[in-house]
Amino acid sequence: MLILATLVPTTLLAKSSSAVPLPNGQTAFDAPPHLIKAESSYSSSNLPSTYFFTLKIPNNAGEPLKAVKIVQRENLEIISYKGNATRAFRGDRWAQGPQLSLAAIGGPTESSEMMVVFDPPVQPGKTVTVSLKAKQNPTFGGVYQFGVTAYPAGERGIGQFLGYARLNFFSD
């Protein structure tokens, strides 16, 4: 056990040109993507809106970005999405680049969890924005938080939690 405790930190800190291999065959980012910002097209309650989550994949990520999971933290209301309107593109909301192909979009029913899988994965050094079309903003204003997790390419990639994105909504 002591030997394993010594080897694992060394393995995780090693810089390489590919993702970090773990003893159990899983992989992780050398340097995880950064959650740059989150924005909403409208901040008033009850309006249909699009939520934009922008991530930067660092040059030294070690592995392309395969998927992003966005989960609303518990609040007064659960926000529902129009899954078929989910998009992803290079760049941020204001400088939209080419649209990216998605292999899958979805999440459990009765939940505001969305998983977006890129096909092909997004290469290191790129900025990507995921846009989720909400059926409507919450009725009750306030701060709504969304946990964002990034997954590296590979069959056994380990998700890296990037933090919480915050969106503010205002009641009329």
Side-chain angles (χ1 to χ4, degrees):
M1 190 66 159
L2 181 59
I3 293 171
L4 182 60
T6 308
L7 292 176
V8 171
T10 306
T11 303
L12 292 175
L13 294 175
K15 295 288 181 195
S16 66
S17 61
S18 62
V20 176
L22 300 174
N24 62 2
Q26 293 181 305
T27 57
F29 290 109
D30 283 341
H34 304 283
L35 175 61
I36 297 175
K37 65 181 154 184
E39 300 174 276
S40 175
S41 59
Y42 296 102
S43 58
S44 294
S45 62
N46 295 319
L47 291 177
S49 189
T50 302
Y51 306 154
F52 300 92
F53 300 88
T54 303
L55 291 81
K56 170 73 175 147
I57 304 131
N59 289 325
N60 62 342
E63 192 70 24
L65 174 66
K66 179 173 182 145
V68 174
K69 180 168 68 171
I70 300 169
V71 181
Q72 179 190 338
R73 192 165 182 192
E74 190 173 328
N75 206 316
L76 293 174
E77 292 179 64
I78 293 177
I79 298 170
S80 297
Y81 304 107
K82 296 179 181 179
N84 61 350
T86 298
R87 304 283 182 262
F89 51 86
R90 297 260 293 278
D92 65 17
R93 174 184 177 192
W94 303 108
Q96 291 183 22
Q99 190 165 319
L100 300 173
S101 295
L102 301 176
I105 302 165
T109 57
E110 304 302 319
S111 169
S112 66
E113 177 179 314
M114 286 294 288
M115 176 74 89
V116 176
V117 181
F118 301 100
D119 183 27
V122 182
Q123 295 300 313
K126 305 294 182 196
T127 298
V128 63
T129 297
V130 173
S131 69
L132 303 179
K133 180 78 172 163
K135 291 181 181 176
Q136 72 179 36
N137 286 341
T139 303
F140 301 102
V143 176
Y144 285 72
Q145 296 185 54
F146 301 81
V148 180
T149 303
Y151 294 85
E155 293 300 315
R156 300 195 57 202
I158 296 175
Q160 173 71 48
F161 182 72
L162 306 181
Y164 284 101
R166 295 171 45 135
L167 295 177
N168 295 313
F169 300 105
F170 303 97
S171 298
D172 295 330

